[in-house]
Amino acid sequence: MTEAVQTAAPTLWSSPAMQARIRRRYRSERLFKGLGLASLALACGFLLFLLASVILSGWPSFRQTQILVPVSIDAGRLGVTAAEAKADPERLRRANFQGVVQDAVDKSVGDAVPLVSEGAWLALREAVEADPALIGTHKDMWLIASSNLDQLAKGRIDLAAPEGDRPVNDQEIAAWKQLEADGKLRTAFNRTFLTAADSVDPELAGVWGALKGSFLTLVVTLLISFPVGVLAAIYLEEFAPKTRWTDVIEVSINNLAAVPSIIFGLLGLAVFLNTMNMPRSAPVVGGLTLALMTLPVIVIASRAALKAVPPSIRDAALGIGASPVQVVFHHVLPLALPGMLTGTILGMARALGETAPLLMIGMRAFLTSVPQGLAQPATVLPVQIFIWSDNVSRGFVEKTSGAILVLMAFLLAINSLAIYLRNRFEVRW
Amino acid sequence: MSLWAVLLAVLALGALGFWLGRRRALGFVAQAGSEVGAVHSRPHQHGVFVAILSLLPALAVIAAWAALAGGLVSREVLASLPEGAVGPSDLERSAFLAEVRGLVRGDYAAAFNAHAEAAAAVWKASATRYAMLFGSAALALGALGALWGWSRLTADFRARTRVERFVMLALVLASLVAILTTFGIVASLLFESFRFFQLVSPVEFLFGTQWSPQTAMRADQVGSSGAFGAVPLFWGTVFIGAIIAMLVAIPLGLMTAIYLTQYAAPGVRKVAKPVLEVLAGVPTVVYGFFAALTVAPAVRDFALSIGISNASSESALAAGLVMGVMIIPFVSSMADDALTAVPRSMRDGSLAMGATPSETIRKVLIPAALPGIVGGVLLAVSRAIGETMIVVMAAGLAARLTANPFDSVTTVTAQIVALLTGDQEFDSAKTLSAFALGLVLFLVTLALNVYALAVVKKYREAYD
């Protein structure tokens, strides 16, 4: 046996069979590496594709088409004179602005097809309230165009399609071309989109209501989940004796972190709404629900931050006579705080993008006013995106993408803040 | 007296207590002079002790006020009404109360209901009375607490021990919130599911193949019984979340992790990792919108082009594909952890024997990291089947048992949303069934998570 090994010829690396074998192995090596690169490229490419498609379709929502209409602000039609308006602002507020704008529109662009938005008169009211002396004068105003005209002007409608297949009829197209030729159309920055709440008309809908709802909800979430999460982490990491009881707490925290978010929605519905009779659709309930969802994330991040503080610090503080509570609150906590904050901010970012649990507690509400308090009905930005995405009206596709852009901008800002905090304050021992 | 004003006053009282307590303790210190240890606790600990005694009872009263006052006032308003002024149903009552509240707040100029005007006056009087009652109780308790605490301070009073005992209590209570949440989830799901299973047998729910949860609006409607066989939902969930999504996420996520840990230059890694993090941080509603608007029509066009005539615009494939992409970063980071946990000596040994890097990865690293990778994949499955928005927006609501990826199927989460977002009576079988579905989802994800976490932990320990 040993002799046979010794007498066997050494591997002949230059033999054609061996060369072919090596080539084959190298080829499979390149293939494997290529596959890895391709899948990475695919993942990154998908992100780029997603971002590009959202930006392309969402960008126009920040632009608004306006029509130039000469408005004669007639005191008779309005039902209030300049002097009366100055004396009684409440009466001015209820004056017939709709009628005045309707007359002006009928006279200048015709009333055959709706070209000016139904909410265009609000701009006139705003202008007159700012300066009641305008009553009785003429004013050239740029009024918000209707959604169909807006889509036409932005080139979002396929004109080649037969009339029955497109959302605008030939009359509207003719009117659009006429306005364009007269120089009575312009596109301007869409202030409405950033300052208004939801509306049935796409050209009057905005994200401000949802944004404020998100803000109120997240304030509640932060106020509850941050202190409770940090305190729980301190107890589990620094004080808890190793008993079965603390094991139960640990296991339940780790599991809560992986429970589907919609289950938290069911919990909020059953406990906060049905048992405790809290108001539906309110930011306070949404905030509580999201706080329960974010809590495990914060606890886990805070424990990691506490674990990273070296034991020598605790020993030194104990050695000079600090009590265990003093050790933690005077020495360990300040050192662990940046890590805890980073974890909390990332948890908040997750809560900001969360939709499903809030649908469960009724935040899928159509609200045309901006929420004023924690117990008032509100909606949040991701839910607003969901509501708009369900809307068949063409103008809302653009609004949905626009709202996504706003949401992504906020998420980006929050995450950048977390990264900055991590780099700026985190100490490596 | 508004709630916020009282809260501010109570907080001010607490601050005053702190200041007084601290000042008194500073007095002890001055008295003791240079004698070390004559005063047991630090001055600020005395202050905190007084503040705690002042704040705790006062805040408890305010919490009770916030929780109870609305109900008490509503009851008084309803009791003040003449017989038959408001309908007997809860809906009419809450509508009436909402109107009264609007009147009180000045949202409405005039009352719609004839009795609302009078009720608004009752409301105002009653709300003011309760505010006076609770507000003065909170302030009195706060002042009494502070006074009592202040009177107990002496030079050898053990303020630190007491304050620290209170801090420990707060820490324990905070960590109990996690248990309470778990308990709340289990209890509420079990309770509502139990009510559901009184109406529908568990056997029919778990093994029935017909799902049509429409229950009758009127008792005499035809075909009103509703069918609650959830097997099509379970199949849809598995089909989208555990089959299609994993067919996308496992190969792409694993290969991405392999490339990043074994091949990529540091520069590439530095760019690719944040990109994957961004991909993981995109809200699911954005993925859902993308799936419904871009991917689903593309999938339908593709199906039509290969000759499937009745392709639906809501397909399992579109939802599964996008969900798979959403899971890629998760699988990749789990696989990344598993691969880097394999001892370097194993990799070096294989390379030294003349194996190419890819042979080393396939024959040494992956088998060694397999338990960690499998654990990560199980966690990914658990996440995919609990994912809601993508399937709500892209998968549809048709409960079908089909293996055709171009057909529309529905999932457990999509049904929960559909069942609970309408205006429903809360005790119908239809709404209760959502809780039974939630219970199944919770138990399945719990089992997956516990098992996967155990696998991952055991595997890490094996190489440590």
Side-chain angles (χ1 to χ4, degrees):
Chain A
M1 190 69 198
T2 40
E3 224 160 282
V5 171
Q6 273 169 0
T7 53
T11 310
L12 195 57
W13 290 97
S14 57
S15 75
M18 211 57 195
Q19 288 288 334
R21 212 173 123 91
I22 290 178
R23 269 201 302 278
R24 205 168 59 238
R25 286 175 63 200
Y26 281 1
R27 198 165 54 232
S28 96
E29 168 70 24
R30 280 195 301 274
L31 188 72
F32 191 75
K33 191 174 170 184
L35 274 178
L37 187 61
S39 48
L40 179 63
L42 210 60
C44 296
F46 186 88
L47 180 69
L48 280 182
F49 181 49
L50 189 145
L51 287 181
S53 84
V54 169
I55 290 175
L56 277 182
S57 70
W59 192 244
S61 65
F62 294 95
R63 312 285 298 165
Q64 181 181 56
T65 308
Q66 297 172 340
I67 305 178
L68 182 66
V69 175
V71 184
S72 61
I73 310 167
D74 177 40
R77 186 77 169 103
L78 204 57
V80 61
T81 64
E84 284 169 340
K86 268 193 200 115
D88 187 0
E90 190 53 40
R91 189 162 161 206
L92 177 66
R93 214 176 159 68
R94 290 202 303 272
N96 186 14
F97 290 104
Q98 279 119 308
V100 172
V101 168
Q102 195 57 54
D103 291 350
V105 170
D106 290 351
K107 209 157 70 186
S108 68
V109 293
D111 60 349
V113 281
L115 294 171
V116 172
S117 164
E118 287 186 16
W121 59 273
L122 288 166
L124 178 66
R125 188 172 78 181
E126 207 175 296
V128 175
E129 277 185 337
D131 179 14
L134 283 175
I135 295 176
T137 62
H138 286 271
K139 187 172 160 58
D140 286 347
M141 292 195 70
W142 286 100
L143 297 178
I144 306 174
S146 72
S147 180
N148 278 348
L149 191 64
D150 187 47
Q151 294 296 308
L152 270 174
K154 284 174 182 165
R156 298 241 143 201
I157 286 168
D158 180 14
L159 296 178
E163 188 174 1
D165 286 357
R166 50 181 146 80
V168 295
N169 54 30
D170 288 341
Q171 232 177 336
E172 279 173 292
I173 294 175
W176 165 56
K177 287 191 172 143
Q178 184 60 43
L179 284 169
E180 194 88 302
D182 295 348
K184 283 184 173 174
L185 276 188
R186 73 166 186 190
T187 44
F189 178 68
N190 190 349
R191 205 162 55 93
T192 319
F193 185 63
L194 292 178
T195 53
D198 200 2
S199 165
V200 283
D201 302 311
E203 75 274 11
L204 297 175
V207 291
W208 177 240
L211 213 53
K212 193 167 171 200
S214 273
F215 175 74
L216 292 173
T217 307
L218 283 190
V219 165
V220 176
T221 304
L222 184 65
L223 285 182
I224 292 168
S225 64
F226 180 63
V228 174
V230 168
L231 291 182
I234 289 176
Y235 180 72
L236 291 175
E237 198 59 40
E238 302 286 332
F239 295 112
K242 270 271 157 230
T243 61
R244 172 167 301 190
W245 189 232
T246 47
D247 274 354
V248 171
I249 300 183
E250 289 226 35
V251 169
S252 70
I253 287 178
N254 285 337
N255 280 319
L256 281 181
V259 165
S261 60
I262 191 167
I263 300 286
F264 286 97
L266 289 176
L267 171 75
L269 175 63
V271 174
F272 298 134
L273 294 190
N274 290 347
T275 310
M276 292 162 82
N277 279 324
M278 288 166 113
R280 263 177 91 82
S281 316
V284 61
V285 181
L288 281 170
T289 309
L290 290 182
L292 294 182
M293 200 193 81
T294 327
L295 189 64
V297 179
I298 295 181
V299 172
I300 291 170
S302 302
R303 290 188 67 174
L306 286 169
K307 222 177 250 164
V309 177
S312 59
I313 301 226
R314 296 179 184 88
D315 295 343
L318 282 171
I320 56 167
S323 72
V325 171
Q326 285 172 329
V327 170
V328 169
F329 282 89
H330 293 183
H331 302 281
V332 180
L333 188 59
L335 292 172
L337 210 52
M340 293 175 163
L341 281 177
T342 313
T344 305
I345 293 173
L346 293 178
M348 286 297 122
R350 217 183 101 182
L352 174 60
E354 199 55 72
T355 321
L358 300 177
L359 291 180
M360 296 290 96
I361 55 159
M363 289 187 101
R364 187 193 191 174
F366 173 72
L367 297 165
T368 52
S369 60
V370 178
Q372 296 300 332
L374 290 177
Q376 312 259 310
T379 187
V380 295
L381 201 48
V383 177
Q384 186 73 75
I385 292 170
F386 176 58
I387 295 172
W388 282 349
S389 76
D390 247 8
N391 200 311
V392 287
S393 166
R394 215 187 149 74
F396 273 115
V397 174
E398 177 188 299
K399 297 288 171 229
T400 314
S401 303
I404 289 177
L405 283 183
V406 174
L407 179 64
M408 298 282 273
F410 270 92
L411 285 176
L412 199 67
I414 293 177
N415 282 309
S416 313
L417 180 69
I419 291 169
Y420 170 77
L421 273 179
R422 188 160 57 193
N423 294 340
R424 176 79 176 71
F425 293 107
E426 203 160 80
V427 191
R428 296 215 175 273
W429 304 94
Chain B
M1 240 191 307
S2 85
L3 199 141
W4 293 108
V6 174
L7 190 63
L8 275 182
V10 163
L11 290 179
L13 207 58
L16 183 71
F18 173 81
W19 184 72
L20 286 175
R22 185 163 165 275
R23 208 181 62 155
R24 185 149 190 213
L26 282 172
F28 300 146
V29 173
Q31 235 168 29
S34 59
E35 192 192 338
V36 174
V39 183
H40 174 271
S41 302
R42 310 265 303 140
H44 75 263
Q45 287 159 343
H46 285 98
V48 171
F49 174 74
V50 176
I52 287 174
L53 279 188
S54 158
L55 286 176
L56 267 191
L59 289 180
V61 171
I62 291 183
W65 178 12
L68 296 177
L72 289 173
V73 170
S74 306
R75 214 171 58 190
E76 240 173 71
V77 168
L78 287 178
S80 77
L81 292 175
E83 197 73 22
V86 189
S89 79
D90 280 347
L91 200 68
E92 285 167 287
R93 278 173 186 217
S94 64
F96 178 75
L97 287 174
E99 192 189 345
V100 173
R101 221 168 317 162
L103 276 175
V104 171
R105 224 182 273 134
D107 292 351
Y108 308 141
F112 171 73
N113 190 311
H115 298 283
E117 210 65 79
V122 177
W123 178 291
K124 255 185 214 163
S126 162
T128 317
R129 204 169 61 246
Y130 279 116
M132 290 301 292
L133 192 73
F134 278 106
S136 45
L139 288 174
L141 276 180
L144 277 180
L147 204 65
W148 185 57
W150 185 79
S151 69
R152 290 183 63 188
L153 300 183
T154 54
D156 56 358
F157 180 69
R158 301 191 178 285
R160 197 195 75 208
T161 328
R162 280 157 206 275
V163 169
E164 288 187 352
R165 211 176 289 156
F166 171 78
V167 170
M168 287 306 287
L169 186 70
L171 293 183
V172 174
L173 286 180
S175 60
L176 284 184
V177 171
I179 289 208
L180 279 181
T181 311
T182 310
F183 176 77
I185 289 177
V186 174
S188 59
L189 290 180
L190 274 180
F191 179 69
E192 307 284 354
S193 303
F194 181 71
R195 284 169 67 192
F196 173 69
F197 288 134
Q198 283 177 330
L199 301 170
V200 177
S201 93
V203 177
E204 191 205 325
F205 176 70
L206 289 176
F207 302 107
T209 55
Q210 271 300 320
W211 177 266
S212 58
Q214 288 76 26
T215 42
M217 301 297 278
R218 302 186 314 272
D220 56 336
Q221 242 169 344
V222 189
S224 60
S225 57
F228 291 95
V231 169
L233 311 190
F234 299 151
W235 164 247
T237 310
V238 169
F239 190 40
I240 292 182
I243 299 178
I244 300 178
M246 288 304 132
L247 282 179
V248 176
I250 294 176
L252 285 179
L254 193 57
M255 287 309 289
T256 307
I258 288 172
Y259 187 80
L260 282 178
T261 54
Q262 309 296 327
Y263 289 112
V268 175
R269 228 188 345 254
K270 223 173 157 181
V271 176
K273 282 234 165 175
V275 169
L276 288 179
E277 275 174 35
V278 172
L279 204 56
V282 173
T284 54
V285 68
V286 177
Y287 279 116
F289 178 64
F290 185 71
L293 194 79
T294 312
V295 180
V299 166
R300 191 194 49 199
D301 292 346
F302 174 72
L304 291 176
S305 75
I306 61 168
I308 296 168
S309 55
N310 57 347
S312 148
S313 65
E314 293 174 323
S315 59
L317 190 58
L321 281 177
V322 174
M323 196 185 278
V325 170
M326 187 194 84
I327 301 284
I328 288 175
F330 189 76
V331 174
S332 162
S333 90
M334 294 302 288
D336 198 323
D337 289 350
L339 285 170
T340 42
V342 176
R344 204 179 162 75
S345 55
M346 292 175 84
R347 181 165 170 254
D348 290 349
S350 168
L351 290 173
M353 296 294 288
T356 62
S358 72
E359 284 162 355
T360 304
I361 292 164
R362 274 177 300 177
K363 297 190 174 142
V364 178
L365 290 187
I366 291 186
L370 201 59
I373 295 174
V374 170
V377 166
L378 287 181
L379 286 178
V381 170
S382 138
R383 187 175 264 219
I385 63 177
E387 164 47 39
T388 309
M389 293 322 292
I390 295 177
V391 287
V392 166
M393 293 162 86
L397 289 171
R400 275 198 205 112
L401 271 170
T402 170
N404 175 4
F406 296 108
D407 227 337
S408 103
V409 296
T410 190
T411 70
V412 171
T413 48
Q415 283 296 326
I416 293 177
V417 171
L419 291 168
L420 288 179
T421 46
D423 290 321
Q424 315 284 347
E425 277 178 82
F426 206 76
D427 40 9
S428 72
K430 188 176 167 183
T431 48
L432 290 176
S433 68
F435 285 90
L437 289 175
L439 183 66
V440 173
L441 181 66
F442 179 70
L443 292 179
V444 169
T445 51
L446 185 73
L448 276 173
N449 292 337
V450 169
Y451 180 68
L453 285 174
V455 167
V456 171
K457 199 174 164 197
K458 202 170 152 197
Y459 157 77
R460 280 213 189 107
E461 278 163 3
Y463 285 124
D464 265 347

